Amino acid sequence: MSERLARLRTMMQEHELDAVVITHLSNRFYLSGFLAEDHPPDESAGHLVINQDRAVIVTSPIETENAGNQAPDFEIHAMSRETPGLAANDAIVLQSMGATRVGFEDSAILYKDFKTLRKQLGEDAKLVALGSAVDNLRKVKTADEIEALALALRITDEALAKVEPTIVAGETEKAVGWRIEQAFRELGADGPAFPTIVASGPNGALPHHPTGDRIIQEGEPIVIDMGAYIGGYCGDLTRTVWVGEPEPKLREIYQIVYRAIEAAEAGIKPGMTGKEADALARDVIADAGYGDQFIHSLGHGLGVRVHEGPSLSPRYNQPLEPGNVVTIEPGIYIPGWGGVRIEDVATITADGIDVFTTSPKRTV
């Protein structure tokens, strides 16, 4: 964690900040290691208050022991009955630091907490919105993060290998999804990184279909999007499978998406923008006549959150860097019929990519 705090403190110097208040639960874990039970948006287990000399977790008395065990390099400030509320206690810590120019996460703070900070710190203090400055620290992964992600992705691959051969026509999407989540636990994961998606037949036209009671049929596409969660890090994997022989339309669409992911993985390299990476796959799909049916970006960053920076998107004009970890997931979605998506996870290297994902892709 010391390396991460050092990079945060460098960012603070660049913004001429005396201190920062970290309210985003993912950034709290990233910077401190403190994992706790949060119920966003209005029930947080704790905030961080950090200056150049001190790093403090502000939390409730019921979490102080957990915080101390998980974040031994941090001071623990427990709320009292006399001064309830995280923001009020953030202000106490900030005042003890003598901080008057304070950065805050404007996309991850309750308005009532912002008002509390502004009131208790007084007119002499200035609150500075940080935008994505803290989130951006997570874009380039450290060696220990790469190791943590590799474990989450290995468990994800193993879970699919365990469950995919058991899928049969006549069972529900929910039955398959439940077996996948059971496999995560049996393989040592803390649970799923997100609700497992099993989208059969026409449900596959919805990229984020909520797994339901539809009965799986032979020959139709079954889009499975899944990821294990362990040690604070997320796996992510999508495969399109089928029972029996694939119908002709599935053969056609699957081959296009397969060519698209192959083109992207062969061409992505550091220095190209997210927009340029997206085009590698999007052009293949557009040339096949299905450009309007590729309705999302090619990929996103992966780490302590399932979706984080950088983005492989037509709107992302920043360059990719070695150490970025991204999903590569082209798809085609046809309402009333279904969809095909294939997803791998890769890290950007000095001269290309290194694909973590080992799950085989079907061929037709």
Side-chain angles (χ1 to χ4, degrees):
M1 297 300 171
S2 60
E3 178 187 348
R4 302 179 192 182
L5 285 173
R7 289 192 285 121
L8 175 74
R9 285 168 169 148
T10 298
M11 181 275 290
M12 290 166 57
Q13 290 175 333
E14 292 168 351
H15 288 75
E16 299 180 335
L17 300 172
D18 298 323
V20 293
V21 177
I22 302 297
T23 50
H24 195 302
L25 62 93
S26 295
N27 289 333
R28 184 190 70 208
F29 167 72
Y30 177 76
L31 292 166
S32 72
F34 177 39
L35 273 175
E37 187 175 354
D38 298 273
H39 297 280
D42 61 342
E43 291 186 41
S44 171
H47 297 167
L48 305 182
V49 181
I50 300 169
N51 70 0
Q52 291 297 333
D53 303 310
R54 297 171 59 195
V56 182
I57 295 175
V58 177
T59 189
S60 71
I62 64 172
E63 291 288 358
T64 54
E65 185 172 356
N66 285 335
N69 291 337
Q70 295 174 5
D73 295 332
F74 276 67
E75 300 174 40
I76 310 300
H77 175 95
M79 296 185 295
S80 67
R81 291 180 180 177
E82 293 74 22
T83 310
L86 290 172
N89 283 270
D90 295 340
I92 291 172
V93 175
L94 288 164
Q95 288 168 333
S96 76
M97 294 174 170
T100 59
R101 184 174 168 83
V102 178
F104 71 98
E105 296 185 283
D106 46 303
S107 63
I109 190 169
L110 295 173
Y111 181 54
K112 70 179 182 66
D113 286 349
F114 174 80
K115 289 196 300 180
T116 297
L117 287 174
R118 187 169 57 184
K119 178 181 179 180
Q120 293 199 210
L121 292 177
E123 294 182 358
D124 292 337
K126 181 174 179 58
L127 296 176
V128 179
L130 294 175
S132 60
V134 181
D135 292 345
N136 288 343
L137 299 176
R138 305 202 317 262
K139 286 184 179 180
V140 174
K141 288 352 186 218
T142 60
D144 61 316
E145 287 188 283
I146 295 290
E147 185 176 342
L149 283 163
L151 175 59
L153 293 161
R154 178 177 61 77
I155 292 174
T156 303
D157 284 326
E158 291 179 1
L160 181 63
K162 187 173 184 178
V163 174
E164 182 184 348
T166 71
I167 300 171
V168 296
E171 67 175 332
T172 65
E173 296 171 345
K174 282 183 178 178
V176 177
W178 174 241
R179 292 204 300 279
I180 289 170
E181 296 191 5
Q182 282 181 304
F184 287 155
R185 298 280 189 177
E186 291 167 357
L187 291 165
D190 299 324
F194 52 88
T196 301
I197 296 170
V198 181
S200 63
N203 291 340
L206 303 173
H208 289 167
H209 165 68
T211 300
D213 293 318
R214 186 181 182 280
I215 303 297
I216 292 170
Q217 309 292 321
E218 285 199 10
E220 66 182 7
I222 309 166
V223 181
I224 299 175
D225 192 345
M226 56 189 281
Y229 178 79
I230 183 169
Y233 284 82
C234 303
D236 200 0
L237 168 69
T238 304
R239 288 292 183 263
T240 300
V241 300
W242 49 86
V243 176
E245 290 297 313
E247 60 186 59
K249 186 72 171 179
L250 175 52
R251 288 180 180 273
E252 176 201 356
I253 301 301
Y254 189 90
Q255 288 174 343
I256 297 167
V257 176
Y258 189 95
R259 292 199 305 271
I261 194 170
E262 291 281 290
E265 292 184 354
I268 292 175
K269 58 186 177 182
M272 69 168 31
T273 65
K275 179 177 181 178
E276 290 168 336
D278 177 273
L280 294 170
R282 193 169 301 278
D283 289 350
V284 173
I285 292 173
D287 288 348
Y290 290 96
D292 290 342
Q293 284 73 48
F294 184 10
I295 57 177
H296 55 71
S297 62
L298 177 62
H300 53 80
L302 183 71
V304 299
R305 294 181 70 81
V306 177
H307 296 103
E308 57 182 51
S311 174
L312 308 186
S313 160
R315 298 172 301 281
Y316 194 84
N317 291 307
Q318 297 179 40
L320 301 175
E321 303 175 67
N324 292 153
V325 173
V326 295
T327 68
I328 303 169
E329 47 182 310
I332 293 174
Y333 307 91
I334 302 174
W337 175 76
V340 171
R341 183 166 68 255
I342 306 172
E343 175 189 18
D344 288 340
V345 175
T347 184
I348 307 297
T349 65
D351 55 3
I353 65 170
D354 183 11
V355 177
F356 288 100
T357 307
T358 61
S359 291
K361 303 175 182 71
R362 291 201 178 186
T363 57
V364 292

